[in-house]
């Protein structure tokens, strides 16, 4: 998209200043990180940037286009593993690991990608589905598998509360008390690796079940 000019609000009136695409993307991600994707609007973006309410429309037509812009910019540089690079499990893990790295770099991106699942990220969706197709999944299971991966990747932050302490008047069951000592792992590599290993093992099991559809 390049750069352009927006009208910045200043104490002595409005002045012009040049903004880059990365500034707009980072401002939108800050809004999502602080207030959630539902609060991201053109007006909210203008406040975050310190520009006039109409200024963002020089860049994007509406919120949907803004979400597409943010997702496209934040996911730049993803490399699709070629078929000859290894097993479908290895290729899937490679691609998902790359996406996870982008999510860690841009907190709030996951909520944007959930919001516009079928936006302009079709190349990314197709790359994951191609790997599942190569693995031998049928079309219905490709969609179910993609939805499972999508939910894990982009939605797991929603089970990671900011306030991790139980209310003072709540007595936790023993197993819950023991387990929640590790709640900090939910944001870390251990939890991510655990989830990916479970997910891929589950996909392998479903592939076997697909070959024997009468098994219940």
């Amino acid at each position: 998209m390049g750069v352009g000019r927006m009208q910045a609000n200043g104490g002595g009136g409005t002045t012009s200043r040049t903004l880059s695409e990365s500034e707009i993307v980072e401002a939108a991600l800050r809004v999502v990180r602080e207030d959630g994707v539902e609060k991201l609007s053109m007006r909210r973006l203008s406040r975050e940037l310190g520009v006039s309410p109409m200024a963002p429309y020089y860049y994007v037509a509406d919120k949907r286009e803004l979400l597409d812009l943010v997702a496209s910019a934040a996911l730049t540089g993803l490399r699709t593993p070629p078929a000859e690079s290894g097993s479908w499990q290895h290729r899937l893990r490679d691609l998902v690991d790359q996406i996870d790295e982008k999510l860690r770099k841009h907190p709030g991106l996951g909520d944007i990608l959930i919001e516009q699942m079928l936006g302009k990220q079709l190349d990314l969706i197709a790359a994951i589905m191609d790997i599942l197709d190569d693995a031998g999944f049928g079309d219905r299971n490709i969609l179910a598998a993609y939805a499972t991966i999508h939910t894990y990747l982009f939605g797991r932050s929603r089970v990671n509360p900011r306030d991790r302490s139980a209310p003072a008047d709540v007595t936790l069951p023993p197993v819950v008390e023991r387990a929640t000592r590790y709640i900090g792992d939910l944001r870390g590599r251990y939890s991510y690796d655990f989830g990916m290993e479970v997910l891929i093992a589950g996909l392998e099991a479903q592939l076997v079940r697909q070959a024997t559809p009468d098994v219940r």
Side-chain angles (χ1 to χ4, degrees), residues 131-211:
I131 294 172
L132 296 168
D133 187 37
D134 290 345
F137 287 96
D139 290 347
R140 188 178 190 182
N141 285 345
I142 286 174
L143 179 61
Y146 174 79
T148 302
I149 294 166
H150 185 101
T151 302
Y152 176 68
L153 256 181
F154 307 134
R156 71 182 187 279
S157 63
R158 298 186 178 186
V159 297
N160 191 354
R162 293 182 180 180
D163 182 4
R164 303 178 183 184
S165 58
D169 59 345
V170 172
T171 300
L172 297 177
V175 66
V176 176
E177 183 177 9
R178 295 197 311 270
T180 52
R181 294 173 188 169
Y182 303 98
I183 199 167
D185 285 345
L186 290 177
R187 293 187 186 274
R189 190 75 193 184
Y190 179 87
S191 182
Y192 169 76
D193 287 340
F194 182 92
M196 282 303 303
E197 289 163 9
V198 169
L199 192 153
I200 290 177
L203 289 176
E204 291 172 340
Q206 287 300 321
L207 198 55
V208 173
R209 288 175 62 87
Q210 178 183 280

Side-chain angles (χ1 to χ4, degrees), residues 20-195:
S20 67
E21 180 177 291
S22 63
E23 286 181 282
I24 297 169
V25 168
E26 290 301 328
L29 286 168
R30 284 197 303 273
V31 173
V32 173
R33 185 161 59 246
E34 294 167 7
D35 302 328
V37 70
E38 66 279 358
K39 294 294 179 66
L40 178 62
S41 66
M42 304 296 273
R43 182 173 292 276
R44 178 68 178 83
L45 177 65
S46 68
R47 292 202 306 272
E48 186 69 23
L49 288 165
V51 300
S52 66
M54 294 304 295
Y57 291 98
Y58 289 112
Y59 290 83
V60 288
D62 52 29
K63 178 179 177 178
R64 183 172 183 82
E65 188 174 322
L66 175 62
L67 293 178
D68 286 338
L69 167 68
V70 171
S72 297
L75 292 175
T76 296
L78 289 177
R79 175 187 53 80
T80 302
E84 61 272 17
S85 65
S87 66
W88 69 265
Q89 295 95 326
H90 172 80
R91 292 160 57 209
L92 182 63
R93 181 63 191 264
D94 184 355
L95 183 53
V96 173
D97 281 353
Q98 292 181 62
I99 300 169
D100 180 70
E101 184 178 345
K102 297 289 185 180
L103 293 173
R104 292 177 189 276
K105 183 178 179 182
H106 300 286
L109 179 59
D111 285 342
I112 288 176
L113 291 171
I114 285 178
E115 181 77 11
Q116 51 98 260
M117 175 177 169
L118 292 178
K120 293 194 175 177
Q121 303 311 308
L122 293 179
D123 287 348
L124 178 58
I125 294 173
I128 294 174
M129 287 190 173
D130 280 341
I131 294 172
L132 296 168
D133 187 37
D134 290 345
F137 287 96
D139 290 347
R140 188 178 190 182
N141 285 345
I142 286 174
L143 179 61
Y146 174 79
T148 302
I149 294 166
H150 185 101
T151 302
Y152 176 68
L153 256 181
F154 307 134
R156 71 182 187 279
S157 63
R158 298 186 178 186
V159 297
N160 191 354
R162 293 182 180 180
D163 182 4
R164 303 178 183 184
S165 58
D169 59 345
V170 172
T171 300
L172 297 177
V175 66
V176 176
E177 183 177 9
R178 295 197 311 270
T180 52
R181 294 173 188 169
Y182 303 98
I183 199 167
D185 285 345
L186 290 177
R187 293 187 186 274
R189 190 75 193 184
Y190 179 87
S191 182
Y192 169 76
D193 287 340
F194 182 92

